[in-house]
Amino acid sequence: MEMLLSTKGITICLFFFVLSLAAAIEIPLSVAQLPTITEQSHAQVAYPFDEDFTIKCEARGNPQPTFNWTKDGKPFDLLSDPRIVPSNNSGTFVIQNRGIITNFQGKYRCFASNVLGTAMSEEIELIVPSVPKFPKEKIEPLDVEHGDSVILHCNPPKGIPPLHIYWMNIDLQHIPQDERVSMSLKGDLYFANVEENDSRSDYCCFAAFPRLRTIVQKMPMTLKVSRFKHANDSGSPNAAVTKANFIKERKPKLLIPPESAGSSSSVTVIKGGVLLLECIAEGLPTPHLSWVKVTGNLPKDEPETENFGKILKIDQVTAADEGTYQCTASNPMGRAKHEFHVHVEEPPRWIKEPEGGVYSVGTNLVLLCEAIGNPEPTIQWKLNGMPIDSKTFRGRISAREISLTNLQLQDSAVYQCEASNKHGTILASANVNVLNIAPLILTSDGENYATVVGYSAFLHCEIFASPAADIRWTKDDSIEPLSTLRYELNKNGTLEIKETKKEDSGSYACWAANSVGKRAITANLDIRDATKLVVTPKNPRVLKSHSILLKCQSEYDSHLKHSFKLSWRKDGDELPVNSTEDGRIILDRDTLFISSVTLADQGVYTCVASTSLDSVTAESQLIVLDVPDPPEDLQLSENQNRSVRLSWKAGANHNSPINESIIEFEENRWEPGRWQELTRTPGNDTTTLLSLAPYMNYQFRVISVNAVGRSQPSKPSLRYATPPAAPDKNPENIRVEASEPNEMVMKWEPLKPVERNGPGLEYKVSWRQRGVEADWNEEMVKKHSLTLRNTPTFVPYEIKVQAVNNLGSGPEPNITIGYSGEDVPDAAPSGVSVDIVNSTLVKVFWFGIPRDRVRGHLRGYKVSWWKTKSMLDGKRHHPEKHFLTFVGDRNYGMIPGLEPFSEFRLTVLAYNAKGDGPESSPVVFETPEGVPEQPRFLRILNFDKDSVTLSWGLPKKANGHLTGYILQYQIINETHEIGPLNDVSVTNRSTLSWRLSGLSSSTKYKFYVKACTVKGCGKPVTEEGLTMAQGTYAGIYDGISTQGWFIGLMCAIALLTLLLLTICFVRRNKGGKYSVKEKEDLHPDPEAQSIKDEIFGEYSDSDEKPLKGSLQSINGDIKATESADSLVDYGEGEHGMFNEDGSFIGAYSGSKEKGSVESTGSSTATFPLHA
């Protein structure tokens, strides 16, 4: 069995010493010893409602003691009455409550004896109370005159205290008491002087005995109060009473203490008890009682008075309360005094009690007994319950001391010392056991002890011996006593090993020896590893409503696995293992999870790990962060017309400092209920001076802000109204709008409510035509616009708007220039001409219209054009108009995306905000030939081992007269490397197929075909193919093409090809080695290349070249060329095809709308047009 008998060691000691233990250890019952009283009753009351009464007396000793009793100092036989039931092997007996038991009342004493001596108990008083009763008596009525003093006597019966006395009427209503009528400590009712309304026939005295559960009532008493009348006086009753009172008026006379006691009396009180001094006086008028301590001042805490000042009460009386007290009863007629000489006495109490013990033969004995009390107590010594006869006693005896020398075994006895005075008796016993025995080791042999490293170990060896034994400890097989710094032998024989180490494990032996004999026991000690703990995270800071997981990581000795326990505490209180009612806090052995953290979760969380040998803790303080509590106690001060000071108390910041406060206001004149921000204050400032606007009825609130967020708003402050004033500012953003030519609408931003400053806000609008000497026109309006009609078209005006209210006008307003309504331009541009740049691009020039013909703000010019016929076939086309817009005042523009080799017509017009002006006369121009588009298709008709036949279609658009075709081919392989390019010129423009010879067998080729005009060749169409192997004939295709397996094979190849094309398309979009850019570099479009080089500069790679005449832009960054204007020359046009053959689809696609040309895909040219 492992026993946990260890505490943490602090100091290290090195010593071995021999210690006497006999007197400090209780004598084992196996050793012969004197009797000792272990339990006894004290004063007891035999209540009539109890079934029986137990008188206890228990004692121990060896041999087993026998018991005897005395009653009132005489022997008492427990068998003398059948109602007494004694106990076996005990002095306790029970008295059964049957019949009359008054003869059992008395003082009992118990004696416990064996062959060595006798022990004696203290006196046990048994009180058998009688049932209290008032005697039956006839009480004569009391007839008194008005003003006399009267005493109604209660004379309560005797009973067990406490006694409570009440004066009531027959209806159990209390008799009112005051300075005139009061009850004495003995229960009598005193009237200092009677009045007529004191007359009644039911004065009843009730005596209550709570411990006896009894209340008794005395027979009712009658008191009749009559008026005093003179024999010759027949006046009014009031006059008689007044006269009687005058006759009866007298100075006070003390009733308690009575005059027979003299002017002074003595009072004795027990120390620690309650002092009650009573003075009751009669007299007319009613006397007033006062108290004074004659021999000195009253105690610092003024004594309590009761019963309307008639009783002086002092609790917990001390010697300082001794002295002379005087009571004085006074009224206008005189005074009466009495002095109380208070003496404080006390029952006996011990200063020195005799102490018994175990003594060895030949030693000396001294017993001291000393007590004090008032009066001084007498001391009496007893031996085994009998008075000591000094003549036969071989030792010395005095009032305070008994001594014996050279003790022998027969000197064993029980010595009693009894101290007595008139207030009580106290008893002290001393057992003197003279023994001569070998050591007895009371601790079991072979005990197993265990502790953990660093703690102290305690190995017990409890010994009883007489004479005293020498004790020593040894370890393992050594016979040498332990003598290092860490070993300490305690008085009770216990060996303490401080700050244990692993090597302290082993077997220990305790040796005890005296002159009589020698004994030894063994003990085994195991040292375990100490338990270690750490809680993570350490002191986390968590936002409110977030979650936190605390983990308790532990290490402990494997031997302690079964006793290892983990628990969690919060702020010292253990958390329940089961989760909380709301499920937020979950404990799972070494983890503590808190979801939706609240402020109440903040605190110190402690992980407690305990084993059978040690207990350790680790802490982590959880800090919960939250928005601040709302500010409180908003106060306004320093009131001014346009400012007020706002102060507040900041709420709790919840572990995140307040970095600013937001002050909001609400006013109920213009926008009731709407809170708006007024200002902010930094840091922890809790006061600020607020700038206010006139004519507002404010209330304020404050919001505190910390790193977590904003608090809830505070409660609003009291309202604060500012007086009205003239406006401080005028309206802003004054502008002129017009929808009709002969109209001018002046508008402005109205003043905000906070800017009005007073009632009756209006706007004073002033205007006059600019450059004309004329007076200002003025008009007052309440809204924020004013319309003028019949104004000249597009004429400048000077305009002013001033705010005005009932208290005055705002500052002098600034002048704003505005124009009256516009009309469309009434003139067309002139001198329109066209310069051909290339087959798809022209530059247009014109002369702008005069400023006075614009009739408004010139927005820009629009160029419209439409195709009339193709120069290739002379076919006329249905006119389809296109236009570009050129913003601003300019006289030229670039028109891109035209069809080559076509005839066009073109017009120009000016426009303003009102609309378009008239168009100029159409100008006719023709575009020159261009390069063709790519042929419609290219097919490989026949493969041979060294030749191939190609077939192609006509170009989609010839864009001029075809002059022939260029065929090109080159070897390609799986590494995407490109071989040398071979050219074949086909000069016959009607030739649409060609056989190429001299090819390598089993080789993959790429073929290109492009159409040409005098302007150059267009974009090629391409195809790839594989020549046949040696000995394979092309004719095989004719033989197998009709076979079913061949058709299936071709379908599979087609599906595989589709899959590969999809992969290639994805790869090409991501970029690859064999890029379209390389192909275009190999086969450039001469005309498109010339346009790029001459006008637009370089452009980035894309899957296709821009269509002829189109402009491609990356991020709008395009360089200007030497021979062409910048992109500013290009206007804003509509999205539309120029003709049905799709020559301009790449540049203009989508619906026909006004606006800029936008890209619709990766291969569509984009025109960033800026005027």
Side-chain angles (χ1 to χ4, degrees):
M1 179 183 68
E2 291 186 348
M3 300 177 63
L4 175 57
L5 296 166
S6 59
T7 57
K8 186 68 177 175
I10 300 176
T11 62
I12 300 176
C13 301
L14 174 61
F15 60 88
F16 173 82
F17 60 92
V18 176
L19 197 59
S20 175
L21 300 171
I25 298 178
E26 189 175 281
I27 304 174
L29 273 178
S30 59
V31 177
Q33 58 186 284
L34 291 162
T36 302
I37 301 292
T38 57
E39 184 180 5
Q40 73 160 82
S41 297
H42 297 283
Q44 188 169 344
V45 177
Y47 295 111
F49 43 79
D50 290 337
E51 292 183 359
D52 52 46
F53 321 106
T54 300
I55 309 297
K56 287 185 179 182
C57 179
E58 303 290 341
R60 65 179 177 86
N62 188 1
Q64 176 71 31
T66 59
F67 296 89
N68 295 292
W69 286 89
T70 62
K71 176 175 178 285
D72 297 327
K74 297 178 181 180
F76 179 71
D77 185 4
L78 297 183
L79 302 177
S80 62
D81 193 305
R83 291 173 293 179
I84 299 175
V85 181
S87 301
N88 294 327
N89 300 321
S90 169
T92 300
F93 65 91
V94 176
I95 301 174
Q96 297 177 337
N97 190 1
R98 299 201 310 265
I100 300 173
I101 60 172
T102 54
N103 59 311
F104 288 112
Q105 180 165 306
K107 293 182 180 181
Y108 294 80
R109 194 186 291 271
C110 172
F111 296 87
S113 305
N114 65 15
V115 295
L116 299 178
T118 301
M120 180 177 68
S121 73
E122 296 179 0
E123 280 190 336
I124 304 169
E125 183 178 9
L126 177 63
I127 301 171
V128 181
S130 58
V131 178
K133 293 181 181 178
F134 278 106
K136 291 184 179 180
E137 57 182 331
K138 183 178 180 181
I139 303 175
E140 295 295 331
L142 283 177
D143 238 340
V144 295
E145 293 180 353
H146 194 287
D148 288 345
S149 69
V150 173
I151 303 174
L152 298 181
H153 296 282
C154 180
N155 298 324
K158 292 183 179 181
I160 300 296
L163 167 64
H164 301 300
I165 298 177
Y166 308 95
W167 283 89
M168 292 186 283
N169 59 21
I170 201 67
D171 297 324
L172 301 182
Q173 299 294 319
H174 286 274
I175 302 298
Q177 298 187 28
D178 51 22
E179 267 196 331
R180 185 179 66 85
V181 181
S182 61
M183 184 180 71
S184 70
L185 291 173
K186 290 183 178 181
D188 297 334
L189 190 63
Y190 285 79
F191 294 80
N193 51 78
V194 293
E195 297 176 354
E196 206 170 337
N197 57 7
D198 292 327
S199 295
R200 60 188 317 131
S201 61
D202 57 354
Y203 283 96
C204 298
C205 177
F206 290 85
F209 300 89
R211 293 178 68 185
L212 294 175
R213 307 176 190 176
T214 301
I215 299 177
V216 292
Q217 176 190 348
K218 190 170 184 174
M219 295 296 292
M221 289 175 268
T222 300
L223 176 65
K224 296 181 181 178
V225 180
S226 58
R227 296 176 188 167
F228 176 83
K229 293 185 179 180
H230 194 273
N232 298 326
D233 186 2
S234 61
S236 68
N238 288 338
V241 170
T242 303
K243 185 173 182 180
N245 284 348
F246 176 75
I247 296 172
K248 294 284 187 179
E249 279 186 349
R250 59 198 180 277
K251 71 177 184 177
K253 174 185 175 184
L254 287 174
L255 302 178
I256 297 179
E259 284 188 338
S260 58
S263 62
S264 66
S265 58
S266 292
V267 177
T268 299
V269 62
I270 302 298
K271 182 179 179 181
V274 179
L275 173 64
L276 296 173
L277 302 179
E278 184 178 35
C279 276
I280 297 180
E282 63 92 3
L284 187 67
T286 301
H288 172 74
L289 271 296
S290 62
W291 294 85
V292 65
K293 188 175 184 183
V294 178
T295 58
N297 295 327
L298 285 172
K300 183 175 182 182
D301 295 330
E302 186 173 343
E304 179 184 354
T305 59
E306 295 180 349
N307 199 17
F308 311 100
K310 299 175 183 180
I311 296 174
L312 177 70
K313 180 179 180 181
I314 299 177
D315 291 315
Q316 295 294 321
V317 171
T318 66
D321 296 318
E322 197 168 73
T324 300
Y325 295 81
Q326 184 183 77
C327 74
T328 302
S330 58
N331 70 4
M333 306 303 295
R335 62 181 59 194
K337 298 180 180 180
H338 187 85
E339 289 184 348
F340 296 90
H341 302 293
V342 176
H343 303 282
V344 178
E345 297 184 352
E346 63 175 319
R349 59 186 176 89
W350 293 117
I351 295 179
K352 182 69 175 177
E353 295 184 58
E355 295 181 0
V358 177
Y359 297 86
S360 57
V361 173
T363 58
N364 299 324
L365 168 69
V366 175
L367 297 179
L368 300 177
C369 182
E370 189 173 350
I372 61 170
N374 188 5
E376 168 118 15
T378 60
I379 303 291
Q380 182 183 19
W381 286 96
K382 292 182 179 183
L383 179 65
N384 293 326
M386 301 299 292
I388 298 176
D389 185 354
S390 59
K391 295 179 181 180
T392 60
F393 184 64
R394 77 177 189 89
R396 296 177 57 188
I397 184 169
S398 67
R400 297 185 179 183
E401 181 181 313
I402 282 182
S403 63
L404 278 171
T405 60
N406 192 21
L407 289 173
Q408 299 301 313
L409 295 176
Q410 60 270 25
D411 291 322
S412 294
V414 181
Y415 290 83
Q416 290 98 9
C417 177
E418 203 168 47
S420 305
N421 68 9
K422 66 179 181 180
H423 299 298
T425 299
I426 55 177
L427 174 69
S429 296
N431 286 15
V432 175
N433 289 277
V434 182
L435 301 174
N436 191 43
I437 61 174
L440 294 177
I441 300 182
L442 306 179
T443 303
S444 300
D445 188 18
E447 288 280 7
N448 294 316
Y449 299 89
T451 188
V452 296
V453 173
Y455 282 60
S456 289
F458 294 89
L459 309 184
H460 297 297
C461 186
E462 187 176 356
I463 293 175
F464 179 81
S466 180
D470 295 332
I471 302 172
R472 61 189 177 94
W473 282 87
T474 62
K475 183 175 186 293
D476 296 332
D477 296 330
S478 174
I479 61 172
E480 293 297 322
L482 297 174
S483 58
T484 64
L485 290 173
R486 294 185 300 108
Y487 297 108
E488 182 176 339
L489 185 63
N490 295 330
K491 290 184 178 182
N492 60 2
T494 298
L495 175 66
E496 179 181 359
I497 307 174
K498 300 182 178 181
E499 296 186 356
T500 55
K501 304 175 182 178
K502 280 284 190 178
E503 52 267 28
D504 291 325
S505 296
S507 177
Y508 292 79
C510 173
W511 300 85
N514 66 3
S515 59
V516 183
K518 182 178 182 180
R519 295 285 188 277
I521 61 167
T522 60
N524 300 309
L525 176 63
D526 289 322
I527 306 297
R528 308 299 189 195
D529 290 326
T531 305
K532 299 178 181 177
L533 277 188
V534 62
V535 176
T536 58
K538 185 71 172 177
N539 301 335
R541 299 169 68 87
V542 182
L543 290 175
K544 182 185 175 186
S545 300
H546 285 223
S547 300
I548 180 67
L549 177 68
L550 296 178
K551 187 167 182 63
C552 185
Q553 299 171 337
S554 59
E555 293 181 11
Y556 53 88
D557 193 289
S558 59
H559 295 86
L560 306 176
K561 178 179 180 180
H562 297 294
S563 66
F564 178 78
K565 292 181 181 179
L566 272 181
S567 62
W568 288 88
R569 296 175 185 168
K570 178 181 182 291
D571 297 330
D573 297 326
E574 187 162 349
L575 292 173
V577 175
N578 297 327
S579 59
T580 56
E581 293 181 3
D582 56 6
R584 289 190 314 102
I585 302 178
I586 301 174
L587 276 72
D588 185 10
R589 284 185 58 80
D590 60 345
T591 60
L592 172 62
F593 179 73
I594 308 175
S595 62
S596 300
V597 171
T598 66
L599 294 174
D601 295 325
Q602 180 168 291
V604 176
Y605 288 83
T606 305
C607 177
V608 182
S610 60
T611 67
S612 58
L613 298 181
D614 66 345
S615 178
V616 292
T617 62
E619 295 180 348
S620 182
Q621 183 174 11
L622 175 61
I623 300 172
V624 180
L625 306 177
D626 194 13
V627 299
D629 284 343
E632 300 175 340
D633 194 20
L634 273 62
Q635 300 290 334
L636 300 176
S637 60
E638 302 179 21
N639 302 350
Q640 301 293 328
N641 287 348
R642 295 208 178 191
S643 68
V644 70
R645 179 167 292 280
L646 176 65
S647 303
W648 63 92
K649 292 180 181 177
N653 63 18
H654 298 310
N655 303 306
S656 180
I658 296 173
N659 47 46
E660 71 172 350
S661 299
I662 302 172
I663 292 88
E664 295 183 336
F665 74 92
E666 181 266 351
E667 52 81 29
N668 60 3
R669 193 184 305 280
W670 309 108
E671 296 177 285
R674 178 171 177 257
W675 288 92
Q676 307 172 61
E677 183 174 322
L678 179 61
T679 187
R680 298 190 178 206
T681 60
N684 283 322
D685 290 351
T686 57
T687 181
T688 185
L689 191 64
L690 303 178
S691 296
L692 307 179
Y695 197 53
M696 302 281 278
N697 192 16
Y698 288 98
Q699 65 175 350
F700 307 98
R701 70 183 187 186
V702 183
I703 299 172
S704 296
V705 183
N706 63 9
V708 181
R710 294 186 175 193
S711 72
Q712 290 294 316
S714 67
K715 292 181 180 179
S717 68
L718 298 175
R719 287 207 173 266
Y720 183 71
T722 54
D728 295 325
K729 62 180 293 185
N730 293 313
E732 297 175 344
N733 193 20
I734 300 169
R735 60 197 182 279
V736 174
E737 298 177 0
S739 58
E740 299 298 331
N742 300 113
E743 180 182 82
M744 182 168 70
V745 180
M746 294 173 281
K747 294 185 177 181
W748 55 89
E749 294 294 333
L751 293 184
K752 298 176 184 176
V754 73
E755 298 170 340
R756 297 186 178 190
N757 287 10
L761 178 69
E762 292 184 303
Y763 300 102
K764 177 182 177 183
V765 185
S766 305
W767 71 93
R768 67 183 179 187
Q769 192 170 330
R770 188 178 185 184
V772 176
E773 292 294 333
D775 293 335
W776 289 90
N777 301 290
E778 295 181 351
E779 185 169 337
M780 299 293 291
V781 296
K782 293 185 178 180
K783 57 184 181 179
H784 52 280
S785 67
L786 176 63
T787 301
L788 299 181
R789 306 191 185 278
N790 300 319
T791 58
T793 301
F794 200 64
V795 172
Y797 280 83
E798 293 178 342
I799 303 167
K800 296 189 297 184
V801 181
Q802 187 177 30
V804 180
N805 64 18
N806 291 350
L807 282 85
S809 302
E812 182 62 28
N814 297 325
I815 295 176
T816 301
I817 304 300
Y819 285 81
S820 57
E822 299 185 31
D823 203 349
V824 297
D826 61 358
S830 58
V832 180
S833 62
V834 177
D835 283 355
I836 304 298
V837 177
N838 57 38
S839 60
T840 61
L841 179 67
V842 299
K843 189 173 185 179
V844 183
F845 297 90
W846 63 86
F847 295 116
I849 66 175
R851 184 172 296 277
D852 60 343
R853 304 296 296 276
V854 177
R855 299 203 292 177
H857 295 289
L858 178 66
R859 295 289 184 89
Y861 292 88
K862 289 182 182 179
V863 177
S864 301
W865 71 92
W866 61 96
K867 181 179 176 180
T868 55
K869 69 177 180 178
S870 171
M871 302 297 292
L872 185 63
D873 55 11
K875 184 179 178 181
R876 291 279 177 180
H877 286 261
H878 178 72
E880 185 176 350
K881 272 195 172 185
H882 309 273
F883 68 90
L884 282 176
T885 299
F886 298 91
V887 179
D889 188 7
R890 55 187 296 169
N891 59 1
Y892 69 91
M894 302 289 284
I895 308 299
L898 301 176
E899 289 190 33
F901 208 42
S902 300
E903 179 185 271
F904 292 90
R905 292 177 183 260
L906 179 146
T907 62
V908 183
L909 62 82
Y911 71 94
N912 60 18
K914 193 66 178 175
D916 297 341
E919 292 183 303
S920 66
S921 299
V923 174
V924 180
F925 65 93
E926 296 177 357
T927 54
E929 289 188 59
V931 296
E933 294 186 4
Q934 69 179 169
R936 294 180 184 273
F937 65 86
L938 172 61
R939 294 191 182 96
I940 304 173
L941 296 183
N942 264 320
F943 267 110
D944 205 344
K945 64 180 180 179
D946 60 354
S947 63
V948 67
T949 300
L950 301 177
S951 173
W952 61 87
L954 291 171
K956 296 176 183 178
K957 289 185 180 180
N959 292 338
H961 297 289
L962 292 176
T963 59
Y965 297 91
I966 299 294
L967 274 67
Q968 298 174 311
Y969 62 96
Q970 62 187 153
I971 295 174
I972 60 175
N973 56 32
E974 297 304 326
T975 61
H976 303 296
E977 295 178 0
I978 302 173
L981 192 64
N982 302 291
D983 291 350
V984 176
S985 179
V986 179
T987 56
N988 186 351
R989 63 185 180 184
S990 60
T991 299
L992 296 176
S993 65
W994 194 267
R995 185 175 181 79
L996 293 175
S997 302
L999 304 177
S1000 301
S1001 62
S1002 300
T1003 304
K1004 190 175 183 181
Y1005 284 88
K1006 186 161 188 176
F1007 304 97
Y1008 308 85
V1009 176
K1010 51 187 175 181
C1012 303
T1013 64
V1014 294
K1015 287 293 185 178
C1017 298
K1019 187 176 182 181
V1021 61
T1022 66
E1023 187 60 271
E1024 296 178 359
L1026 184 67
T1027 57
M1028 299 179 64
Q1030 194 79 11
T1032 306
Y1033 298 95
I1036 193 172
Y1037 294 107
D1038 297 331
I1040 66 174
S1041 61
T1042 59
Q1043 300 297 316
W1045 63 267
F1046 178 74
I1047 295 172
L1049 178 63
M1050 290 300 103
C1051 292
I1053 293 173
L1055 289 173
L1056 182 59
T1057 303
L1058 180 61
L1059 178 61
L1060 291 173
L1061 287 174
T1062 303
I1063 295 172
C1064 292
F1065 177 75
V1066 173
R1067 284 191 61 197
R1068 186 168 62 177
N1069 281 344
K1070 294 182 178 179
K1073 294 181 180 179
Y1074 185 53
S1075 66
V1076 176
K1077 180 67 169 61
E1078 294 177 26
K1079 293 187 262 182
E1080 292 179 349
D1081 291 342
L1082 291 171
H1083 309 285
D1085 183 336
E1087 184 170 344
Q1089 186 66 35
S1090 65
I1091 294 174
K1092 288 195 293 180
D1093 295 342
E1094 180 182 355
I1095 301 176
F1096 304 105
E1098 293 186 5
Y1099 65 97
S1100 63
D1101 295 341
S1102 64
D1103 289 345
E1104 295 180 12
K1105 296 179 185 179
L1107 296 178
K1108 297 173 184 179
S1110 66
L1111 310 177
Q1112 183 133 359
S1113 166
I1114 298 293
N1115 298 329
D1117 184 13
I1118 299 180
K1119 300 178 182 178
T1121 66
E1122 296 176 359
S1123 61
D1125 296 317
S1126 70
L1127 287 179
V1128 178
D1129 298 342
Y1130 294 86
E1132 299 172 353
E1134 64 174 289
H1135 299 253
M1137 297 183 295
F1138 281 92
N1139 53 36
E1140 65 277 5
D1141 62 6
S1143 62
F1144 202 55
I1145 290 176
Y1148 293 130
S1149 61
S1151 60
K1152 299 175 183 178
E1153 295 179 348
K1154 295 181 181 181
S1156 61
V1157 177
E1158 295 180 358
S1159 169
T1160 59
S1162 62
S1163 61
T1164 305
T1166 303
F1167 292 84
L1169 306 175
H1170 304 282

